[in-house]
Amino acid sequence: MDAVRIENASVFLSGREVLHGIDWCVERGERCFILGANGAGKTTLVRMLMGYAWPLFGATVEVLGHRFGTVNLQELRKRIAWVSPLMHQWLGGRDWTGREMVLSGPDATIGLFRAPTADEEARAAELLASLRAEHLADRPVAAMSSGEQVKVLIARALMTRPDLMILDEPSVFLDIAGREFLLNTIADLAAQRPELTIVFITQRIEDILPAFSRGLILREGSIIARGAREDVLTEPILRQAFGLPLRLVNSANGRLWAVMD
């Protein structure tokens, strides 16, 4: 069974068609990337996956085996871990600690508003340890670096034992050190949890780790390539996607870097 199946999906926002006839599948346990420039439609596609943007009549959107229009989206979203760097901006002026933020995951709140159970406390500590972030448990989230905040948000997302994780441009605000710190965390997560379906959204070619073996490339709301990593991350396709004379450089660790030709 596919984790994601989308057929013939076009989305209008503010009177403009921003996604055009999207057909896309992600298998269970697959690690897939979505790549595109600003304005390519990545955010709208994520919103559609979460049930916050709806396609025109005649489309099919299925997530984790449930067809939209026949499922309680509030319940389905509990099985989807969404991680965005924008989430840390919603702290409401409170000095929530890393531990409290992680423990808020099951309630889908930003910050903890009840006494957690002993099992929840144990799971939060286990998740922080698995992400090598035990030292962040008692630190205020507002005092963490952007990379550390994203680690805490990943632990928060995993509290509900999700079947699907969507990493929505998690490195967009990070400097080079913070980005590499985060990407190492994602690589560890992919290795430790082979059953977890992960969708990674980015506008940076170099952020696509070797663990992401399949991908989708968007340009102006349309899919211009989809399939195996080696088939879609090519110079002709990337030049089309970004409108630039890009040349790819392979690094020893399997990542690709784009330079201007």
Side-chain angles (χ1 to χ4, degrees), residues 35-37 203-205 219 237-244 246:
L35 175 68
Q203 56 184 294
R204 296 174 177 169
I205 298 163
R219 176 180 169 86
I237 291 174
L238 295 174
R239 287 174 177 177
Q240 180 185 358
F242 291 94
L244 294 170
L246 300 176

Side-chain angles (χ1 to χ4, degrees), residues 235-236 239 244-249 257-261:
E235 290 176 356
R239 287 174 177 177
L244 294 170
L246 300 176
R247 181 167 54 86
L248 292 177
V249 177
W257 297 78
V259 298
M260 296 294 291
D261 208 353

